[in-house]
Amino acid sequence: MIPAQFDYHAPRSLDEAIALLRQHDGAKVLAGGQSLIPAMRFRLAQPEVLIDINGIKNLSGIAKKGKYIEVGALARHAQVEHSDVIAKHAPLIALAMPHIGHPAIRNRGTFGGSIAFADPAAELPACLLALGGEIDIAGPRGKRKVNADAFFKGLFETALRPQEMITAVRIPAADKTTRVGFAELARRHGDYAIVGLAASARGNAKGLADVRLAYFGVGNTPVRAKKAEAALAAGDVDAAVKALDLDPHDDVQATAKTKKHLAGVLLRRVAKQLMEARG
Ligand SMILES: Cc1cc2nc3c(=O)[nH]c(=O)nc-3n(C[C@H](O)[C@H](O)[C@H](O)COP(=O)(O)OP(=O)(O)OC[C@H]3O[C@@H](n4cnc5c(N)ncnc54)[C@H](O)[C@@H]3O)c2cc1C
């Protein structure tokens, strides 16, 4: 199918993009187009106005800024995947990137687009949640930051208000104590996960602290398994699996019961990564 008719704008600056968003109610931002364009072709989305942000400069950098790694909203998945800064300072993101679709998708898809789209089975929203990252947002009322814990509100629903856009994402830079783990089960490599788990923690002489387990593919948003986090911090993997406080529902990929079982399998794998390896 071809998309419904729409008007197209290609702003060259952030201010121009925000002005256009204010001017056109219900306009959609177009980034990599890897989710929006298929939705428009199926007529699941019929925006009357598209605001293509690809021509805005300074939205695609990846840099260490103090204790954070800042990833511009327009950084392509492939750029993130091959970034030395990410490899060195954001090892969880480096582990997750090769699982996002396939190279053609990663060449166009953007970090900001994935966070804004908030697919509950996507890797990056869960990674951001596991890392306790922040989202930088710009809109007609100025700029604001939202923590990942408060950003993912519901199925494809986020804290973004109409007329706002993501400009960057900030991730705490890894240090000597950082441990990370990542695993997902998909039918084929590159498919959306049936269930996935992104995790971070701090390793110390006693074991793990500050454990954050963020599952994807098990609910309407990426979901933290807080009871399991506490059990894992206490060093008990069996108790963590037992305590898994998830409530997945059946979907086209698997039943809720299967997903719950797979979540336990992934937890054992990721616990091993957290306990054995420095990320
Ligand atoms: C075949 C296929 C397989 C895929 N497999 C995976 C996978 O395994 N895992 C995965 O995570 N993803 C997968 N994707 C999706 C891919 O990662 C997308 O790139 C991503 O979800 C959206 O990024 P985008 O830049 O393409 O955004 P777009 O498609 O341009 O936009 C998506 C949505 O986000 C909004 N948006 C985009 N950027 C911004 C911004 N800066 N501020 C505010 N709103 C914004 C748009 O308005 C739109 O609503 C797949 C896609 C395809 C087609």
Side-chain angles (χ1 to χ4, degrees), residues 77 93 100 111 113-133 135 148-149 151-152 158 192 198 214-216 221-223:
H77 299 323
I93 303 292
I100 300 179
F111 206 114
S114 182
I115 299 302
F117 193 55
D119 190 312
E123 288 81 1
L124 292 179
C127 288
L128 203 61
L129 189 60
L131 293 167
I135 296 101
D149 282 290
F151 186 77
F152 302 103
T158 70
Y192 275 105
Y215 276 91
F216 49 107
T221 61
V223 183

Side-chain angles (χ1 to χ4, degrees), residues 3-254:
Q5 202 172 346
F6 56 87
D7 285 341
Y8 174 85
H9 297 271
R12 309 300 291 181
S13 70
L14 185 59
D15 286 349
E16 206 188 323
I18 302 296
L20 284 163
L21 281 166
R22 184 159 42 180
Q23 217 173 308
H24 299 284
D25 230 11
K28 280 266 176 208
V29 167
L30 174 67
Q34 298 304 296
S35 298
L36 182 56
I37 299 296
M40 288 172 64
R41 291 184 72 99
F42 284 115
R43 302 218 173 177
L44 296 169
Q46 300 193 22
E48 287 176 8
V49 177
L50 279 193
I51 299 176
D52 180 346
I53 60 171
N54 286 276
I56 303 179
K57 289 204 179 74
N58 306 323
L59 278 190
S60 59
I62 302 172
K64 183 165 186 294
K65 294 194 176 168
K67 291 185 170 175
Y68 287 90
I69 304 304
E70 193 175 286
V71 182
L74 277 180
R76 310 280 166 193
H77 299 323
Q79 183 191 343
V80 177
E81 184 182 5
H82 301 296
S83 158
D84 292 341
V85 177
I86 294 293
K88 190 165 173 201
H89 301 291
L92 179 59
I93 303 292
L95 285 176
M97 290 317 295
H99 294 273
I100 300 179
H102 47 77
I105 304 298
R106 298 201 291 275
N107 282 338
R108 287 300 300 167
T110 65
F111 206 114
S114 182
I115 299 302
F117 193 55
D119 190 312
E123 288 81 1
L124 292 179
C127 288
L128 203 61
L129 189 60
L131 293 167
E134 286 177 346
I135 296 101
D136 285 353
I137 295 171
R141 284 190 269 167
K143 296 186 175 175
R144 66 189 182 107
K145 300 178 205 317
V146 177
N147 287 333
D149 282 290
F151 186 77
F152 302 103
K153 298 265 192 207
L155 191 60
F156 299 103
E157 192 196 333
T158 70
L160 271 177
R161 300 183 187 123
Q163 309 182 338
E164 283 186 329
M165 59 175 274
I166 296 175
T167 54
V169 162
R170 239 155 326 97
I171 300 157
D175 61 27
K176 279 195 295 228
T177 67
T178 303
R179 306 280 182 88
V180 298
F182 183 90
E184 73 172 54
L185 292 160
R187 284 185 194 278
R188 293 169 307 184
H189 183 88
D191 280 2
Y192 275 105
I194 302 170
V195 180
L197 172 57
S200 76
R202 305 214 156 270
N204 56 35
K206 291 189 199 148
L208 297 177
D210 298 336
V211 179
R212 290 175 71 101
L213 301 171
Y215 276 91
F216 49 107
V218 297
N220 288 343
T221 61
V223 183
R224 276 181 69 189
K226 293 194 177 172
K227 289 184 185 152
E229 289 174 357
L232 206 53
D236 191 336
V237 180
D238 289 333
V241 172
K242 242 187 185 162
L244 263 180
D245 37 342
L246 300 173
D247 188 19
H249 37 73
D250 297 354
D251 65 20
V252 287
Q253 300 237 55

